[in-house]
Amino acid sequence: MQDPCPDFKAHMTLALDPSPEPSLLRVRRFSDGCDGEKLCETSEDPQQDRGLKKTPTYSWIPRISRDHPQRPPVLPITMKPLPPPPSSDRPDSPTYVPEERERRVIRKVDLRIIPLSMMLYFFSFLDRVNIGSAKLYGMKEELGLEGYQYQTAVSILFVTYVLFELPSNLVLKKVTPRIWLSFLVFGWGISAIGVGLTRSYTGLLIFRLLIGAFEAGVFPGLAVLLTMFYTRDRLALRIGYLFVSSATSGSFGGILAWAIHGMDGVGGYSAWRWIFVIEGIPNLFLSVAVFLFLPNSIEVVEWLNEEEKQDMRKLRAREFGVSDEFEVRDVKRALTDWKVWIFGVAQFGVNSILYGYSTFLPTIIAGLGENKWSNELVQLLTVPCYFAGICAYMCIASISDRTQKRAPFCIAFGLITVVGYAILLTSAPMGVRYFGFVSRPRQDLSTTTHLLTTLG
């Protein structure tokens, strides 16, 4: 039987809706020709046709049926499935890249992206949690904070942080990572310096809100940037690098605060003010470096030659659903995906632990010593806690990428976090409870790393 509509080069697919006559079969036809060996994009359910990119037309052809012998015989329509694509490790695969070239180009990308990304997150985390160190050096007393005002100043940062995370990434896709991230760094640097210069509780709240607004887009923006250059099987280790920088920031912040306390009274400023000012100034220079050196995409970088760019395109082509273009429908799909909301609930729990730990760690350790330890000793005791985290991030992220397993690490380290908190709530000797502190950052941030990689 000839095709009833010869102007169309397309396959025919069965529809599940009933035919008006039992002897007819409904078929779909697509005008944008598929070649004869492949299936057109279609659905078994006619109600889903509205979501198809190609508009189908419908027609009716006779159905072969024993109940209708008077109908002329119809030649069967052969539907040949797509053959499986060649494996990416075979030379005949369109995404094949020799192993040595693959390692070389990834190493080159790492050297250009990872150090700058780690510096961004290092200073972001430092300016977010240094208020915990400032409290030890008289901020609460000098600003006259009473009751829950200090806790409010700590927490209010996350109001704008939460509100601006999603809008920030939407802007980033429009104005490019290089421009947007450099603007964010400059903004939170100025705000951090403002905290050190403020003279009132109101000023403290305003600058903390600004820090939250500017820093909201840093980690999501870096995550988007990494997905532009790395495939999913390499993301856990690179996100692990970011958390290494945050742990280093916490460790360095304690040592820096200990060193800065000797500047108390210099220029008429208290030691806690110098903490914010000195830690805020480098961000202004970092914003210039980000603007000049942070790459926007594979296509525009000058430090990859055409062969290396082609290798990167092949590596990314192995991924499903890869696109650097922004579309509103992608946002709608994300907001209606139940997995995104489940991830949000899990991340809420992890972040509550993470920031409660990192912000109040100096205060908690001081309480562990019944407030008899010096501020210098308290700051130094925070260092082992973060150093343990650095070791754990790198080890677990590497193993996760090699095994391509995420959930077992999320579950295991989540359980260890529960045990760590249980130790802190006991009346065990001081050394045992301090061990609970040392083991804690390894667990919650390792969990965060694998949650983010799983979603990505």
Side-chain angles (χ1 to χ4, degrees), residues 365 368 381-382 384-385 424 429-439:
I365 290 181
L368 190 64
L381 286 175
T382 65
C385 302
L424 298 180
M430 180 188 64
V432 175
R433 284 184 288 163
Y434 181 72
F435 172 77
F437 282 116
V438 174
S439 64

Side-chain angles (χ1 to χ4, degrees), residues 54-109:
K54 302 172 185 176
T55 303
T57 59
Y58 295 89
S59 61
W60 300 95
I61 63 173
R63 183 198 301 271
I64 300 176
S65 171
R66 293 180 181 178
D67 299 329
H68 298 274
Q70 72 278 14
R71 294 284 181 182
V74 182
L75 295 176
I77 300 171
T78 303
M79 303 294 289
K80 294 184 179 180
L82 282 170
S87 173
S88 60
D89 57 0
R90 286 172 48 184
D92 59 336
S93 169
T95 61
Y96 173 74
V97 178
E99 186 176 352
E100 180 57 34
R101 275 172 39 194
E102 181 177 343
R103 284 200 303 265
R104 184 170 63 249
V105 71
I106 291 298
R107 184 164 56 247
K108 200 169 184 178
V109 172

